[in-house]
Amino acid sequence: MNQELVQRLSELQQEVTGFIYPNEVEIHWSILIVVYPYITGLVAGAFILASLVQVFNVKEVQPTYRLALLTALAFLLIAPLPLQFHLGHPERAFEIFLTPQLGSAMAMFGFVYLWYLMAVLLLEIWFEYRKDMILWSKGEKGPMKWIYRGLSLFSSDISEGAVAFDKKAIKVITVIGIPSAFILHGYVGFIFGSVKANPWWSSVLIPIVFLMSAIVSGIALVIFLYMVITPLRGERIDMRCLDKITSYLFYAVIVDFTLEALDFIHRLYESEESIKILSKLVTGKLFVSLWVIQILLGMIIPLAIMVAVKSLKFDEELRRLLYFTSVILIQLGIFATRWNVVIGGQLFSKSFRGLTTYKMEVAGIEGLFTAIGLLILPFIVLTILLKILPAWETAEVKEGAAS
Amino acid sequence: MRGMLRKIPEQIRRLSIVIAIIIVGVVTARYVILPSSLTDRRFHRESTAQREVAKNIVFAGATICGNCHGDQAGKKKDGFHKNVSCETCHGPAQAHIENPSTKPTAARGRDFCVFCHAYDPSRPTGFPQINPVLHNPIKACITCHNPHDPVPRETPRECSACHAQIASIKTVSPHALIGCTSCHSVPVKHKVTPRSVRPTKPETREFCGKCHGKESDRKDAPKIDLASHGERFLCWECHYPHRPERM
Amino acid sequence: MNRRKFLKNAVLFVSAAGVFRHLLKDAAAKPTAGGYDPANHLYGMGIDIDKCIGCGLCIEACKKENNVPKEPFFCRTWVERYVIKRDGSVTVESIEAQKGKPRADEPDILRSFFVPKLCNQCANPPCVQVCPVGATFATEDGVVLVDSKRCIGCRYCIQACPYGARYLHPETRTADKCTFCYHRIVKGLLPACVEVCPTQARIFGDLKSMASRLVRFTRVNKIHVLKPHLNTEPKVYYADMDGEVR
């Protein structure tokens, strides 16, 4: 018997208040399961932003289009990692593909993920970059030349007709991609929302709230990246683009806030049996992460900032500062949202009579360092992607061979 | 046909080849290459059931001990422990059946019987309980009680031997000095075979009125007017007689 | 012309072969060796709350029989102690730690009792519904088992169980829970917890049998199940269960 585990559980047992079922002392879905919906949320949100350009013809947002796609891809590639690290038997993960139990929302993960990766994201990126990749391959020498040729599947037709076809294909893929993105993140919400045993999770609204907060966080992430990368490239930030995206962010935050407020009011009003223990949870263990971080810092202050920006006339520099602050606060808030749902739902006993505690490991495969590492990794992947598939230079302008 | 193919844009032709390779690869791998032991659900379930069934038996069962230990089994058959199986006190015995030189445990001190018989107010009423600190300290339980036929050394005088919680409540109540048998008539057989015959409860208001009615000369009992107080209900339907005016 | 005909025949042949293979697999399914046919049994358990004395011997016996870790954080079965006082307060605790020590009296107790808990072997099990790889399933004779060779340890079933009956086994890193001592009951023995209960508070039986202690139990007692509103159709039936029991 693992002594360290027994020690940890004995410490947890000391901190239990009230009565919990004996098996409930350990929190099973740890910070990695908080990181996973956060990451897929960013994927869905970034893709929705990209779809604004294609399907809704919002031209002002064009400068961030390719960035949004690559961001979605970078985060999507890392998304399965927190799940793998969390499994008791990661070497058996392939069973989800071989013998999925079709009644389980989690079984859909493999197929939804692969569909979204291959039939939506990779395809759309391919069509978007095909012409540029062909041109770049012509301008390069050495290994990069072959990388570009391979990535473009050795295609060579860059006639106007072919390029027009590419654009039409992108539109079709985006139209398929929007519901696919909804399913990619919505099914995670459904995984929680369909657990009737847990009243904090079991709710019709959870998939919707997850989706809206995903859109909020995805848009905020693209704004953040755009505001960081553009000065690094030595370019000027396109304020028309930024103002437009932030508008969309504003609308998304309002919808998200409304839905969460609705869930809260509805719970209080119906006052079902679980309300007593949930009140204890929300006013005690989740006080800081819910009221301070998720609501005040993550929603109310950014909303106030954006309302101020919309109604008063601020100059460019102040607007940039305010936008940057808002998107960072929003990211914190959405991460806290995921934390409150996942960890919060496991902190109270299903007997409704007690609360346990979550002691996050620092090192260890499900620990804080792993979580931070998994959150940093997509940015590294994004850097590599941006080097291979630059988001702003078109093929004529690109100069020199990449290293 | 060739003309139609040529009309399909070049990038789609290339994509289709890649997609076709992927689909064919996946289908071949899943349906042709992989053995059914990996993919057949019925096979998994049957093998799981078989693995479960093959697990070790640790407890032997209540009846098999009597095959060799007829004396003890016979003694236990009619006593208060007749429904307590041998392995409850002696622990798992399958190993002993397979290899009789491995003996099961036997509790000969004071630390096992208390798992059941130490006083706990949550135990159902009528279950014999003692306070292990006060009840014949130091002596092993089996000194006075044969575990295979655990008749107490003497028939308990006090009802508290089996109704410890009620007795404990009554001790701090105004009725503390009233004996249980003042209100409950207890047939002698109840102390020997408790479940076969139960004591009675008072069936009239006048019974309590003997002390609490206006005409009674009992000085320390509060008085009420039997004719008007509490309509037609029996007194103990409202007042808890083991601790009146408190519960 | 020839190519078309060939293609058509090929498609027909492949689909026919597939159907044929499927039929063959179905034909091969037979009851397990030894004459035990799961289809003839449906197991359940009855718990008589008024008989439980909270001795905790069932918990220990289960751990011995099924190699459950000895620590109190992993239980296939446990016993809860309820103390309901006059002011309406309800205190509940799990009795593992208190064994053998005399308990002090508490003032103003209205009702107090013990409630043994275990996996309810639900007929509509939410844990089976959510398992992504089908590692947990219900057998034909009404027992929910976990295939520890296929469980990937995602712990969704642990989240989905409304009764807290499941835990992650620290050594196999797979989900684990009470199996009604499946390895004993198919051989006609009783589960270990039923075997050692000194007051027969636990009654095990076969709901399909013509002569069964469990069937009689459900005839003479008013029966409750835990959390009926969740529609899990538990097969552990409680008699004399108080409304405060969760």
Side-chain angles (χ1 to χ4, degrees), chain A residues 1 19 21-23 28-29 86 88-89 92 95 99-101 103-104 107 191 196-197 273 346 350 353 366, chain C residues 75 80 92 128-133 148-156 159-161 164 172 227 230 244 246:
Chain A
M1 187 68 227
F19 169 71
Y21 296 136
N23 290 330
H28 286 287
W29 282 355
H86 164 261
H89 281 271
R92 294 182 192 166
E95 290 176 11
T99 53
Q101 199 269 109
S104 166
I191 283 184
K196 61 188 172 188
E273 185 189 356
Q346 299 172 84
K350 295 199 178 69
R353 294 189 194 275
E366 294 205 57
Chain C
C75 293
E80 297 172 2
V92 187
V128 170
Q129 188 183 20
V130 299
C131 176
V133 295
S148 55
K149 285 216 181 327
R150 291 191 62 77
C151 173
I152 59 176
C154 71
R155 304 167 228 191
Y156 199 5
Q159 303 291 350
C161 175
T172 65
K227 306 203 186 192
L230 294 182
E244 288 292 348
R246 293 286 172 274

Side-chain angles (χ1 to χ4, degrees), chain A residues 205-256:
Chain A
L205 276 179
I206 276 212
I208 317 268
V209 168
F210 258 51
L211 203 51
M212 278 320 298
S213 38
I215 294 178
V216 166
S217 65
I219 297 180
L221 179 69
V222 175
I223 294 178
F224 173 81
L225 287 170
Y226 181 65
M227 291 183 80
V228 164
I229 296 179
T230 312
L232 284 178
R233 283 174 49 227
E235 297 286 327
R236 281 201 71 242
I237 291 181
D238 180 349
M239 281 315 286
R240 254 184 74 223
C241 169
L242 205 56
D243 288 329
K244 194 72 184 181
I245 304 186
T246 312
S247 276
Y248 283 112
L249 180 64
F250 177 61
Y251 303 141
V253 173
I254 289 196
V255 176
D256 189 28

Side-chain angles (χ1 to χ4, degrees), chain B residues 207-221:
Chain B
F207 183 87
C208 306
K210 277 194 292 194
C211 294
H212 292 284
K214 280 243 156 48
E215 301 74 36
S216 156
D217 2 308
R218 210 153 159 159
K219 285 197 194 51
D220 44 0

Side-chain angles (χ1 to χ4, degrees), chain C residues 189-212:
Chain C
L189 297 170
L190 291 173
C193 56
V194 180
E195 192 62 61
V196 301
C197 177
T199 54
Q200 267 84 66
R202 293 178 184 248
I203 291 107
F204 182 77
D206 182 350
L207 292 163
K208 280 192 177 167
S209 163
M210 285 296 112
S212 158

Side-chain angles (χ1 to χ4, degrees), chain B residues 42 44 48 51-53 56-59 61-62 83 85 88 119-120 122-124 127 168 246-247, chain C residues 26 50 52-53 61 65 81 86 103 105 108-109 112 114 137 147 149-150 183-184 187 195-196 200:
Chain B
R42 181 170 293 148
H44 295 146
T48 304
R51 260 180 285 126
E52 281 294 327
V53 172
N56 274 342
I57 305 269
V58 178
F59 283 85
N83 284 323
S85 86
T88 305
Y119 175 68
D120 185 327
S122 306
R123 301 209 209 261
F127 188 77
S168 156
R246 191 63 185 89
M247 287 173 77
Chain C
D26 272 337
D50 278 349
C52 179
I53 56 172
E65 178 76 35
R81 178 174 179 256
R86 201 141 176 266
R103 246 180 215 286
D105 265 322
D108 285 341
I109 295 184
S112 184
F114 295 99
F137 60 96
D147 186 345
K149 285 216 181 327
R150 291 191 62 77
H183 59 294
R184 295 177 64 89
K187 298 176 185 153
E195 192 62 61
V196 301
Q200 267 84 66

Side-chain angles (χ1 to χ4, degrees), chain A residues 2 11 32 144 185 207:
Chain A
N2 187 348
E11 283 169 11
L32 291 185
M144 278 313 285
H185 192 63

